[in-house]
């Protein structure tokens, strides 16, 4: 890699430079012949080149920095690659016209949560995601203590694969990192994503308050959940169960 390249802080450019870790990430993806992969934030392409050693059919790259895209175009000569100069927080994965995608990325940490949220938006076509994120973000996703972690855990099985110290990156970030795997559940619940997000944001606002202050008591009663409970006491199944009654009420009011 050219050390002369200027890395941009605003786009969270911390490159993974350890060949061992790059290899390990790709191994975790278990890429089989014919699969379609998307890499988010390829940067100068260190991880990309490792991914291209697998028997994949097609590799889409989504990168926001035009300079990085230019470098990639000049250095990656592989017919399986298609590069998008685009923003992964809002990228429309359905335009790829694929039915099953595996996503991989050493994510820009400042927008990692937004990229994870956008992954869930396309859960019907994204079967697996392997993301390098800030360790703290990874740990939060393992517990149902934020709206986003419940949102993700509803559809994906989240696994913590390994911790990675700052020295493996260039420049080293100020925080520890972790690799996580999101694996689509076999039978995820069918629900209206927009309304579900609204529901989760609503019950995760003012966390310490009891549920009665956040939801119509009628809904809690129907779901047989105590209005004195707090959001951190709910189990994943309870969120989904409670949501059913919320959705019913919400759609009813809209009529
Ligand atoms: N994968 C590379 C670089 C990771 S750094 C490596 O491991 O070496 C994060 C990368 O994400 C940078 O290249 C940065 O330009 C890119 N990026 C930042 N914000 C983005 C966004 N919203 N959409 C797509 N790419 C983004």
């Amino acid at each position: 890699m050219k050390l002369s390249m200027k890395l941009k802080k605003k786009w969270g450019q911390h490159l993974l430079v350890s060949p061992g870790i790059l290899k390990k990430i790709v191994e975790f993806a278990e890429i089989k012949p014919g699969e379609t992969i998307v890499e988010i934030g390829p940067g100068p392409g260190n991880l990309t080149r490792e991914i291209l050693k697998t028997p994949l059919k097609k590799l889409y790259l989504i990168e926001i920095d035009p300079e990085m895209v230019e470098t990639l175009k000049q250095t990656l000569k592989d017919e399986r690659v298609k590069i998008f100069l685009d923003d992964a927080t809002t990228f429309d994965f359905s335009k790829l016209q694929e039915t099953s995608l595996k996503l991989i990325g050493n994510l820009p940490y400042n927008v990692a949560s937004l990229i994870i949220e956008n992954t869930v938006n396309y859960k019907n076509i994204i079967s697996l995601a392997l993301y390098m994120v800030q360790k703290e973000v990874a740990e939060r996703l393992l517990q149902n203590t934020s709206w986003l972690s419940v949102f993700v855990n509803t559809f994906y099985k989240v696994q913590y694969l390994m911790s990675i110290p700052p020295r493996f990156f260039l420049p080293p970030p100020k925080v520890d990192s972790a690799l996580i795997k999101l694996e689509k559940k076999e039978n995820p619940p069918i629900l209206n994503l927009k309304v579900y997000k609204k529901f989760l944001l609503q019950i995760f606002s003012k966390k310490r308050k009891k549920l009665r202050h956040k939801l119509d008591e009628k809904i809690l009663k129907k779901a047989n959940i105590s209005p004195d409970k707090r959001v951190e006491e709910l189990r994943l199944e309870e969120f989904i169960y409670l949501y059913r009654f919320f959705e019913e009420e919400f759609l009813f009011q809209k009529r």
Side-chain angles (χ1 to χ4, degrees):
M1 201 210 19
K2 284 172 283 166
L3 284 168
S4 58
M5 192 174 335
K6 246 211 258 121
L7 294 172
K8 305 178 192 78
K9 206 176 160 158
K10 69 165 172 177
W11 281 326
Q13 294 177 347
H14 292 274
L15 312 183
L16 257 175
V17 287
S18 152
I21 304 274
L22 292 168
K23 218 169 148 193
K24 197 104 190 226
I25 295 176
V26 176
E27 274 169 22
F28 276 122
E30 299 181 50
I31 300 169
K32 293 171 211 57
E35 286 188 340
T36 302
I37 312 296
V38 179
E39 190 195 351
I40 300 195
N46 300 349
L47 183 57
T48 319
R49 272 178 275 275
E50 200 58 43
I51 298 172
L52 283 169
K53 292 180 186 164
T54 69
L56 57 85
K57 182 185 73 186
K58 186 99 204 159
L59 175 61
Y60 297 101
L61 306 177
I62 305 171
E63 172 58 59
I64 204 167
D65 181 348
E67 272 185 58
M68 290 291 187
V69 167
E70 206 36 57
T71 308
L72 289 167
K73 280 189 174 152
Q74 283 166 18
T75 56
L76 288 180
K77 303 281 179 218
D78 192 310
E79 285 172 357
R80 297 172 295 171
V81 175
K82 184 165 167 56
I83 308 176
F84 289 90
L85 173 61
D86 212 327
D87 182 343
T89 66
T90 52
F91 189 80
D92 174 8
F93 289 94
S94 66
K95 77 175 174 202
L96 302 179
Q97 308 248 334
E98 300 277 354
T99 51
S100 181
L101 299 170
K102 280 185 178 175
L103 268 56
I104 303 185
N106 169 22
L107 301 187
Y109 294 174
N110 50 346
V111 290
S113 295
L114 293 174
I115 292 174
I116 292 170
E117 181 183 341
N118 197 36
T119 305
V120 177
N121 289 338
Y122 293 94
K123 61 184 170 50
N124 293 344
I125 43 177
I126 299 172
S127 57
L128 183 130
L130 266 185
Y131 289 150
M132 182 78 76
V133 296
Q134 189 175 332
K135 189 170 182 180
E136 208 186 295
V137 171
E139 284 168 349
R140 248 186 290 139
L141 280 177
L142 292 177
Q143 308 159 336
N144 291 319
T145 50
S146 73
W147 87 266
L148 183 60
S149 64
V150 176
F151 194 61
V152 173
N153 280 278
T154 300
F155 307 101
Y156 289 91
K157 196 175 92 190
V158 181
Q159 258 178 289
Y160 190 103
L161 299 178
M162 58 175 175
S163 308
I164 296 105
R167 66 170 186 280
F168 290 114
F169 298 84
L170 193 88
K174 288 199 179 68
V175 293
D176 278 325
S177 303
L179 183 68
I180 53 165
K181 176 160 104 174
L182 312 183
E183 209 175 347
K184 181 82 180 293
K185 290 185 177 175
E186 287 281 346
N187 289 304
I190 296 164
L191 37 78
N192 181 320
L193 266 196
K194 282 215 178 85
V195 184
Y196 191 48
K197 176 180 176 178
K198 186 184 152 58
F199 163 78
L200 292 176
L201 285 174
Q202 187 171 322
I203 63 171
F204 273 102
S205 68
K206 303 185 224 99
K207 248 195 193 162
R208 300 297 312 157
K209 290 222 163 163
K210 295 173 175 172
L211 288 176
R212 67 159 93 245
H213 300 294
K214 308 177 188 195
L215 285 174
D216 191 336
E217 286 210 37
K218 194 163 64 184
I219 295 172
L220 292 160
K221 199 162 178 195
K222 276 190 192 164
N224 204 13
I225 289 177
S226 163
D228 291 325
K229 270 204 176 179
R230 292 185 167 83
V231 67
E232 68 262 30
E233 296 173 89
L234 295 178
R235 286 173 295 118
L236 182 62
E237 311 80 71
E238 289 180 307
F239 281 104
I240 300 166
Y241 184 69
L242 184 55
Y243 168 71
R244 298 280 176 212
F245 297 96
F246 178 89
E247 186 184 86
E248 196 182 277
E249 195 67 21
F250 182 83
L251 297 177
F252 179 75
Q253 279 167 7
K254 284 227 137 167
R255 276 203 310 213

